[in-house]
Amino acid sequence: MIRKARKEDIAAVAAIYDELHDAEERGDMTVGWQRGVYPTEETAQRAYERGELFVEDDGRVVAAAIINRRQVDAYAGADWRFPASPDEVMVLHTLVVSPHASGRGYGKAFVAFYEAYAAERGCRYLRMDTNERNACARAMYKRLGYEEIGIVPTVFNGIEGVGLVLLEKAL
């Protein structure tokens, strides 16, 4: 079940961030994030306070994401296939699935939730981004019909030298 996060979910979301940092540091996966920089417990806390943090609860929190209409600075000037006003766009940020729960469809389910959430709010266009190095996320988004419209070199949430892959889909 995907739902808006509650205050008590913040620690569980932060634990997933730490699990991903651990896996990346061991070389088990490549996401392109940095422990202590992004994402952190403060990332989850701020999103919760804005009412934008969602979790997938399968008896415990196994996945989380931030959903809002905020397009990051790197989106400005991008060659979007679908020009849209800000009120027509919903954005998915920081989708995470616990490595202990990966491969069970939680990421795909979260994206489906995001798409339905956007449609219910009148958003016709979906945008998101991922690190150029995150091959798993890029493959999943492609399978789900998202088009990579470009890679923008940027400093992403305090992480230097990121190639930010911009993705888009029309509903």
Side-chain angles (χ1 to χ4, degrees):
M1 172 182 80
I2 299 173
R3 59 173 171 75
K4 276 209 172 192
R6 297 186 289 254
K7 187 171 180 74
E8 59 268 20
D9 296 323
I10 294 170
V13 174
I16 294 172
Y17 296 162
D18 285 340
E19 291 172 8
L20 292 169
H21 291 308
D22 291 344
E24 185 151 20
E25 290 165 0
R26 285 191 310 269
D28 295 343
M29 65 186 329
T30 302
V31 178
W33 291 334
Q34 290 179 8
R35 185 184 305 276
V37 179
Y38 187 85
T40 64
E41 185 169 348
E42 184 179 343
T43 305
Q45 178 68 40
R46 286 192 316 258
Y48 165 75
E49 289 170 358
R50 293 189 309 265
E52 300 170 351
L53 183 64
F54 294 81
V55 298
E56 190 156 359
D57 187 335
D58 190 14
R60 68 181 178 98
V61 173
V62 294
I66 300 166
I67 302 174
N68 59 35
R69 295 176 190 243
R70 293 182 190 168
Q71 298 181 66
V72 299
D73 291 345
Y75 290 21
D79 190 21
W80 295 106
R81 186 169 156 216
F82 306 107
S85 64
D87 63 323
E88 295 178 294
V89 176
M90 191 67 71
V91 185
L92 179 71
H93 307 271
T94 321
L95 172 60
V96 295
V97 176
S98 169
H100 303 295
S102 67
R104 297 183 195 156
Y106 291 116
K108 181 179 176 182
F110 223 114
V111 173
F113 172 84
Y114 157 62
E115 292 175 357
Y117 183 84
E120 289 167 5
R121 282 149 186 79
C123 293
R124 298 178 45 213
Y125 304 102
L126 305 168
R127 292 184 180 164
M128 62 176 77
D129 57 74
T130 192
N131 192 302
E132 165 178 44
R133 297 172 37 206
N134 192 339
C136 290
R138 291 175 75 180
M140 180 182 76
Y141 296 141
K142 182 177 182 177
R143 282 191 311 273
L144 297 176
Y146 288 81
E147 181 180 348
E148 292 187 6
I149 62 97
I151 300 175
V152 178
T154 190
V155 174
F156 181 74
N157 289 312
I159 303 170
E160 300 277 340
V162 171
L164 196 63
V165 179
L166 305 181
L167 300 112
E168 164 176 61
K169 181 178 179 179
L171 288 176

